Amino acid sequence: MKLTIGKRDLQELLQRCQSIVPARGTMSILSYVLLSAEPEGVYLTATDLEVVLRVFAPAKVIQPGKAALLARKMFEIVRELPEAEVQLAVEDNSVKISCGVAEFVLSTLPADDFPPLPSWKEEELFPLNSNLLSDMIRKTIFAVPTTETRQTMTGALLELAGSSISMVGTDGHRLAIMAAELSAAGRNASVILPKKVVAELKKLADEAVEPLQCGFLKNMAVFVTSKAVLVGRLIEGNYPNYKQVIPSSTCRSAIIPKENLYGALRRVSLLSDERSHTVKLELTSDKLFLYSQDSEIGDAHDELPITLTGEEISVGFNASYVLEALDAIDEAEVRLEMNEPLGACLFTPVKKSSQDENTGEQPTDEQPDKEQRRYVCLIMPLKVN
Amino acid sequence: MFPGSTWFFMNNMGFAQIRGQEKAIGFLKRMITHGRMSHAYLFYGPDGVGKKTTAEVLAQTVNCLRQEEDKLTAEACLECSACRRIKKQIHPDVKLYEPDGNFVKIEAIRTMQHEISYKPFEGRYKVFIIDQADKMTTAAANCLLKTLEEPPAHSLIILISAGIHNLLPTVVSRCQRLEFSPLPASIIEDVLAESCGLASADAHSLAFFAEGSLSAAYSFDQKVLLKEREAVLANLEKLGRSKEAFLTWAASLAKDKDKTKLERHLKWLLLWFRDLLLWQYGVTGKELAYQDQRERLAGGAGLYSIAELQEKISAIYQSHEAIIRRNANPRLALDVLFMQLMPGRQSGAGMK
Ligand SMILES: [Zn+2]
C-alpha cells in the first residue's frame, strides 16, 4: 500500500477516531485503526465494539491496500508533522510515514484482525433530518443512565412507525420522550441504541449538512453521511414499558416562565441535601414557593408568580433532574402537570401560540419546521414533609 | 499469549482433532445439527483433556462464516476470518474469562453481563467462556446466576471446571452438563509422538508422567524431563549398593531452591515403584510407565515383596506431601525417604 495525503486531512481523520478508540482494554486490536486505501481515497475505521466509525478523505492512492495502525501513536506523530504532504507506505508488518525529511516506521497488524463492518444494501437506507435527530438526542440522552442493572435501560429507544419517530430515555426516576412527525413515511423499527452510540450519532448529526442516511440491520444501526459512516451495535431485549407510567390525564397544571424557574431552582438548590438534592415546590393559585434544607448548614426559600389550575399542592424533586429537563426545553414557558404529590409529574414546553398550532400555520419568526415536535419529560417526585 | 491452555498452539483443531472425548463431542454435535443448543453449558473433567479447546471449537462452529445462515452443521471450516479470529481470541463475539489471581471475581461477571446485553457484533452467537468456573467467588456466582436465569437471546455461556462440587448447585442445575474424561496414556503418547516427533519409548513415559492431561504433556520441557528420568534410573541402579551415592543424590536434589525439580524426581520415582508393583502382579505390557526398562524392572521387582512395595509407594507420597505442602526440610525428608526405599533394610545392603 502506498499513498499521499495532506497532513491536515490525515490529522483530522485520526483526530475523529480518537474518541472511539478505547483507552484500555483486553483486545489489543481495538487500539488500532484500520487504514484502507482505495482508488478514491483513504478510509479510517475505529471501533470499541459498541460503535464503529469509518471516516473518509480523498488522497492520492498509488497502490491500494489495508493495514491496522496504532491509533494513538499515529495521531501523535501526524499532529507533530509540518504542514505538507504525508506519504504512507505499508510493507510487510510496518508502515513508513514520511513528510519532508522526517521519517517514522511503526509496526502494523494484519487488516483481517480488525473487526469487520457489517454490510448493507443501498435500498436498506432511508434519509432522516439531521437537525431533528440531534434535537431528539439532546432532549433525551440526559435521562439515559450510564450504569444500570437493567441493561435494556442503558440505551435510548428509537422507534419509527409509519410517519412518526420518537426517542425515549429513562433511568427509572425520570423519563424523556421526544416525538415528531416525518414529512415522508419512514420505516418501522424499534431499536435500543447504547448511550455511547447516541452520543456519537449526535456528533455526526451536528456536523452533517445533509440528511443522514439511516438503516436498521439485524444487530446494528447504520448512519451514513458523505464523510463518515457510524455503525452502532444494538442492545438485546425489550425496552421497559414506559408508557404505563405516563398519566393519561392530570388534574393540576401550572404554566411557569422557564428562565425564572431555572434561576430559582439553581439558587435554592445550593442549600439542598447533598445526596438527594431535594427541593420542595409548593404550588398555590398564583405563586410557586421553593424550599430547601440541609440539616447541617441551613435552609433557603424563593418564590415566583404562576398560574395554577386545580388544587394547591406540595411536591419534592431532585433539583438536578428538573434543571436537566428545563435545559431540554427551548420554549420560554414550561407547563407542569400532576395528579398527586407522589405521582408522576410532567414537564412540557408551552408552544408560543396555541392558535398557530390549531390553524396549522407556520410561526413567522421561526424556520419552517415540517415535523411537529412533541416533547415531555416525566419526573417522579421525592417524599417531603 | 493464551494462558492456561497450550492447545491453541496446535494448528486448526476441529472437533475431529480432539481426542478421547467422543461422548461429549458427539452429544454437542447432535445438539448443533438439531438446532437444540442450550444457553449454558458446563464442561467438567480433569485439567488438560480438551474442555477449553472444545469450547473454542464450539464458538467457531456457531460463528463460522461458511456456515449457512439458518442451518448449522457441526463442522467449522477453521479457515475463514471468523474461525481464524476466534482462535486468535480477537473475535468480538467470543470472550474468555479467567481467574484474576486465585478467583474469578464479580467484576469479570459484571463485564460479561454488560457485553452479553448487546446483540452479536458479527456472529450468530455471543459466546462467553468462563475458565476455572469453580474459582468464582460466591458473589460472582450469585451474580452469574441472574444471567443464567434469564439469558439474553443469541448468547451461549460455557463454564469450564475441574469438578462440579465447588460450584453453586443452583449454577450447576441451570447448565447443560458435559463430562470430559481423563485421556488414556495411549492417546497422549500418540499425540506426543506425532506432534513433537518424540521416540515412541520417550512419548510413552511422558504420557504416564502427564497423568491424563494433554496440556500438561505439552507444557513440559520434554528434554529436561527425559534427562531427569535417566537420572532417576541411574540413581536407582545404585540403590542397594551404596548408601553414600544415595545420600549424595538427596543432597543435590535438596540444594535446589526450586522445588519443582524435586517434585518431578519424586514423580519419576513413584512411577518406578508403581511399575515394580504392577510387575509383581504380572503386568509386563503397555501399562508400565517404564515399558522400555523391562529388564531392570524384572531385576528390581525381585528385591521387594508386594507389601514392601506398597509401603515404599506410600512413603514417597508422604515425603512429597511433607516437602511440598508442609514445608518440611527437603534434605532431611529425602534422606529418610531414600533410606526407606533401600531394599532389604533389615537383612543389610548388597544383595542383587
Ligand atoms: Zn469458518
Side-chain angles (χ1 to χ4, degrees), chain A residues 6 31 63 71-72 78 89 94 104-106 125 138 142-143 162 168 198 280 292 300 374-376:
Chain A
S31 44
Q63 191 193 345
R72 205 82 64 203
V78 172
S94 64
F104 300 81
V105 178
L106 258 185
L125 303 183
R138 180 170 69 83
F142 63 88
V168 182
V198 177
K280 182 170 143 189
S292 70
R374 297 184 306 280
Y375 180 69
V376 57

Side-chain angles (χ1 to χ4, degrees), chain B residues 64-66 76-80 83:
Chain B
C64 175
L65 298 176
R66 297 205 189 137
C77 78
L78 309 178
E79 285 168 349
C80 71
C83 284

Side-chain angles (χ1 to χ4, degrees), chain A residues 46-180:
Chain A
T47 183
D48 61 356
L49 300 186
E50 199 172 0
V51 290
V52 190
L53 180 73
R54 193 182 72 177
V55 284
F56 171 79
K60 214 173 102 199
V61 175
I62 301 143
Q63 191 193 345
K66 283 178 183 186
L69 316 179
L70 272 168
R72 205 82 64 203
K73 260 302 165 243
M74 274 301 286
F75 176 59
E76 285 167 6
I77 291 171
V78 172
R79 195 175 45 186
E80 301 304 330
L81 293 178
E83 300 286 338
E85 292 286 291
V86 181
Q87 274 105 47
L88 296 182
V90 175
E91 240 174 82
D92 299 325
N93 299 317
S94 64
V95 57
K96 193 165 86 185
I97 308 142
S98 10
C99 184
V101 286
E103 204 175 279
F104 300 81
V105 178
L106 258 185
S107 56
T108 62
L109 283 181
D112 187 41
D113 281 3
F114 204 80
L117 268 185
S119 56
W120 62 87
K121 296 190 193 83
E122 207 56 47
E123 61 263 29
E124 285 180 272
L125 303 183
F126 59 94
L128 267 185
N129 181 330
S130 47
N131 161 276
L132 170 67
L133 259 177
S134 168
D135 199 30
M136 291 211 297
I137 295 169
R138 180 170 69 83
K139 292 176 175 177
T140 53
I141 194 171
F142 63 88
V144 180
T146 16
T147 55
E148 169 64 41
T149 44
R150 282 171 76 183
Q151 296 285 353
T152 50
M153 268 197 205
T154 59
L157 176 72
L158 179 62
E159 282 193 299
L160 282 154
S163 61
S164 27
I165 183 169
S166 65
M167 190 174 269
V168 182
T170 182
D171 60 5
H173 305 286
R174 54 185 165 161
L175 168 73
I177 308 171
M178 164 98 187

Side-chain angles (χ1 to χ4, degrees), chain A residues 264-282:
Chain A
L265 263 172
R266 278 186 66 116
R267 281 191 292 280
V268 171
S269 64
L270 289 173
L271 289 186
S272 66
D273 178 77
E274 229 175 84
R275 266 205 263 127
S276 68
H277 301 286
T278 309
V279 169
K280 182 170 143 189
L281 270 59
E282 204 176 293

